[in-house]
Amino acid sequence: MNNTKIKAVMDEVATEAAERDELIQCIAVALLAKKNLFILGDTGQAKAYCINAFRKRITGAKQFERLMSKQTDEEQLFGRLDLSSIIPGNMPHSELEKDTSYSVKLNEVKKAHEQYEIDGKAESLEKANKLAKELNAIKEIVCAVKDTAPKIITEGKIPDSHIIFLDEIFKSNDGILNSLLTALNERVYTNEGQTMNIPAISFFSASNEIPDFSEPENQILKPLYDRFDLKVVTEYVAEKANRQAILKQKQTPAVNANPTTITLKELCEMQNEVKRVKVPDSINELMDDILCALRRKEIHISDRKFFNYTPIVQAAAYINGHDTVSAEDLMILKNYFWTTPAERDTISDVLSEICANPIQSRINDLIAMADEAFEEFKVDIENRRAFKKLRTELIKVFGDLQSIECTSDIDRDKINDACVQLEALSRQMYEMKGFTVIPLKEAYEQAA
């Protein structure tokens, strides 16, 4: 694992912008996981600065940047139609040059023309003229036998770029919305019946507001918002010491003669290493606990979002120097799960609570399930099926407690205490029905 360079870039950008560690981490995660990032914050909070400071250190990556407005049109983002491609019997020069016979003959014409410019002789001009006629004949043949579908000139536009920064993306007009949606989500662009792949690694955007999606005119923008996997909220610099440090830096700027850079090839190698970071079953179990805890707090987490969390935490683990995802790496999900800024604190609290002590959190969830089942049993105690249902649930919870992997005596003691608590519930259930008590361990072994 070689995360040295990405860490160095993060550290350098962090020294240039105070209190932006969370944003910088999310930029790095987005690039490593090939995800999109949206930044919400007031004007003058170094949102664009951090993005630009980071992406300019990715050498060899084609970059595209545009400040969006209602006047921004599709040509400005995706390129324009090459008019030469729609003239009968013609095709763009860039396409013609891909033909070997045309390219060879073109070089002969160029050399003949250069010779005529040197000597000015009639025979040199005649030779150049003859070769030009042959070139034109080859062109007619190539245009006749090759694909002459309309071509879009995409050089320097989104379909030609690896890292794209669309500032104030919600100011886009409806006319280009569908193109942006497919570009962000599927990394493709379709025009004139042709679909082309976009080599984009990440899309970035920043804004000082999120549209009110409850308003009918803004509902069309919600799918665009959903295409941004990671989201960050920035604030003005809070600490006086940090403000003073940035002021001094602005007043006496020091030039970094050798900034750390990452080549596009190196970034691709890092992305492949990220994919090899292991996600153990215990983390998936923990993630299920997190999902349930968030949904209980009425935080909407779609199945699509939950099932696609893996690349985000793999990238976070890679940055942290881990070859296997650990509980602490899941904290990056505080920038993945929220939809509205109001949800951020709740999500962060749940992640902190569960990830700080994952085994205790798992135990608490299992005991809560048992308690809930017991309360349902008491309400429906006269129903013959109620006893069997609760007994089955208690046995299952007991089994789940036994399957928790422990690495310390403290955790094993916690599980034993939970089993005692569960056994007390089971005994109470039997006594309430007047049945002979069967210990949970014995019932569990019989069921197995």
Side-chain angles (χ1 to χ4, degrees):
M1 178 180 294
N2 184 17
N3 67 348
T4 306
K5 278 197 169 183
I6 196 81
K7 290 278 289 181
V9 169
M10 292 171 65
D11 291 342
E12 288 176 15
V13 176
T15 63
E16 299 173 14
E19 299 177 13
R20 292 293 172 266
D21 291 349
E22 183 180 28
L23 170 56
I24 292 166
Q25 181 192 26
C26 285
I27 294 172
V29 168
L31 291 170
L32 290 171
K34 303 177 76 170
K35 298 296 183 181
N36 304 324
L37 170 64
F38 171 73
I39 306 125
L40 175 67
D42 213 337
T43 56
Q45 292 182 347
K47 301 185 298 295
Y49 181 88
C50 288
I51 293 172
N52 291 330
F54 206 112
R55 67 190 182 99
K56 75 179 181 182
R57 287 171 163 84
I58 312 296
T59 62
K62 294 182 179 180
Q63 314 262 357
F64 180 84
E65 181 177 357
R66 175 72 61 176
L67 175 61
M68 304 296 287
S69 70
K70 293 297 182 185
Q71 287 70 46
T72 305
D73 59 35
E74 199 162 337
E75 285 190 358
Q76 292 172 324
L77 299 180
F78 295 98
R80 62 179 176 80
L81 178 67
D82 188 336
L83 296 178
S84 66
S85 68
I86 61 175
I87 299 174
N90 198 20
M91 67 190 308
H93 188 69
S94 59
E95 293 296 315
L96 276 170
E97 286 188 312
K98 293 177 183 178
D99 182 86
T100 303
S101 59
Y102 181 87
S103 180
V104 170
K105 186 61 65 176
L106 178 62
N107 286 331
E108 292 178 9
V109 172
K110 288 178 179 178
K111 289 178 180 178
H113 178 249
E114 290 171 359
Q115 184 60 41
Y116 173 69
E117 285 187 324
I118 293 171
D119 60 30
K121 293 180 180 179
E123 54 266 33
S124 295
L125 176 61
E126 183 178 349
K127 181 181 179 181
N129 188 47
K130 179 185 176 184
L131 289 171
K133 289 179 180 178
E134 292 175 3
L135 179 68
N136 192 55
I138 292 174
K139 175 184 175 182
E140 290 181 4
I141 294 171
V142 172
C143 291
V145 300
K146 295 211 171 179
D147 177 26
T148 56
K151 299 293 189 296
I152 309 298
I153 300 174
T154 60
E155 186 176 357
K157 304 298 182 182
I158 288 178
D160 187 47
S161 303
H162 298 102
I163 302 173
I164 297 105
F165 180 28
L166 302 176
D167 204 3
E168 297 292 352
I169 195 169
F170 297 121
K171 291 183 170 60
S172 308
N173 62 68
D174 295 352
I176 62 174
L177 186 59
N178 286 334
S179 295
L180 283 173
L181 284 173
T182 54
L184 266 70
N185 191 47
E186 301 169 30
R187 301 297 198 260
V188 296
Y189 171 63
T190 302
N191 196 327
E192 298 292 335
Q194 296 183 77
T195 297
M196 59 190 79
N197 292 322
I198 299 174
I201 295 169
S202 298
F203 284 82
F204 297 94
S205 188
S207 178
N208 57 14
E209 62 180 356
I210 298 174
D212 182 355
F213 299 120
S214 64
E215 297 180 2
E217 64 270 22
N218 289 332
Q219 288 179 1
I220 194 171
L221 295 172
K222 193 173 189 302
L224 191 66
Y225 180 68
D226 290 339
R227 296 306 191 273
F228 287 93
D229 312 274
L230 293 158
K231 300 179 179 69
V232 177
V233 174
T234 58
E235 305 288 348
Y236 288 114
V237 179
E239 296 294 329
K240 179 180 179 180
N242 291 332
R243 291 195 295 269
Q244 292 298 309
I246 294 297
L247 273 176
K248 189 172 292 187
Q249 182 179 299
K250 297 287 185 184
Q251 292 162 358
T252 55
V255 178
N256 186 352
N258 296 298
T260 303
T261 58
I262 298 171
T263 66
L264 182 60
K265 181 181 178 182
E266 287 174 329
L267 180 58
C268 290
E269 289 170 353
M270 291 179 192
Q271 290 167 346
N272 289 330
E273 287 187 334
V274 165
K275 292 176 183 177
R276 292 195 288 270
V277 173
K278 301 180 185 67
V279 183
D281 290 343
S282 58
I283 289 295
N284 286 328
E285 289 281 352
L286 195 60
M287 279 300 303
D288 207 78
D289 294 341
I290 291 169
L291 174 69
C292 293
L294 290 174
R295 285 180 172 171
R296 283 197 296 269
K297 292 182 179 293
E298 298 184 348
I299 302 292
H300 174 73
I301 308 292
S302 69
D303 284 347
R304 176 175 60 83
K305 183 169 278 288
F306 175 70
F307 291 138
N308 288 285
Y309 85 91
T310 305
I312 304 290
V313 298
Q314 284 176 311
Y318 179 82
I319 291 171
N320 291 334
H322 302 157
D323 60 6
T324 301
V325 175
S326 65
E328 69 177 279
D329 300 319
L330 300 183
M331 289 303 299
I332 187 63
L333 297 174
K334 66 183 178 181
N335 299 112
Y336 176 68
F337 279 143
W338 68 265
T339 301
T340 65
E343 298 173 339
R344 292 167 60 240
D345 288 344
T346 300
I347 292 171
S348 184
D349 289 345
V350 168
L351 287 168
S352 296
E353 179 183 348
I354 294 178
C355 295
N357 194 341
I359 288 181
Q360 184 62 62
S361 176
R362 178 68 174 153
I363 291 171
N364 292 344
D365 280 344
L366 289 171
I367 293 300
M369 290 167 59
D371 287 338
E372 183 178 341
F374 189 79
E375 292 302 317
E376 291 179 2
F377 165 74
K378 289 196 298 183
V379 172
D380 201 22
I381 193 171
E382 299 302 325
N383 189 328
R384 293 177 58 186
R385 296 179 183 175
F387 173 83
K388 184 177 181 181
K389 181 180 178 182
L390 177 57
R391 181 173 177 271
T392 301
E393 181 67 15
L394 293 179
I395 292 172
K396 179 182 180 302
V397 171
F398 182 85
D400 289 341
L401 284 169
Q402 302 305 308
S403 66
I404 295 176
E405 297 179 9
C406 297
T407 57
S408 70
D409 290 339
I410 293 175
D411 287 336
R412 278 187 279 272
D413 288 342
K414 290 177 182 177
I415 291 175
N416 289 334
D417 290 344
C419 288
V420 170
Q421 187 177 346
L422 201 64
E423 192 67 66
L425 273 183
S426 177
R427 187 179 302 106
Q428 189 175 351
M429 170 191 71
Y430 279 100
E431 291 173 351
M432 290 174 71
K433 293 293 291 183
F435 297 158
T436 302
V437 176
I438 300 176
L440 270 178
K441 183 179 180 181
E442 183 179 333
Y444 173 70
E445 290 172 348
Q446 289 176 354

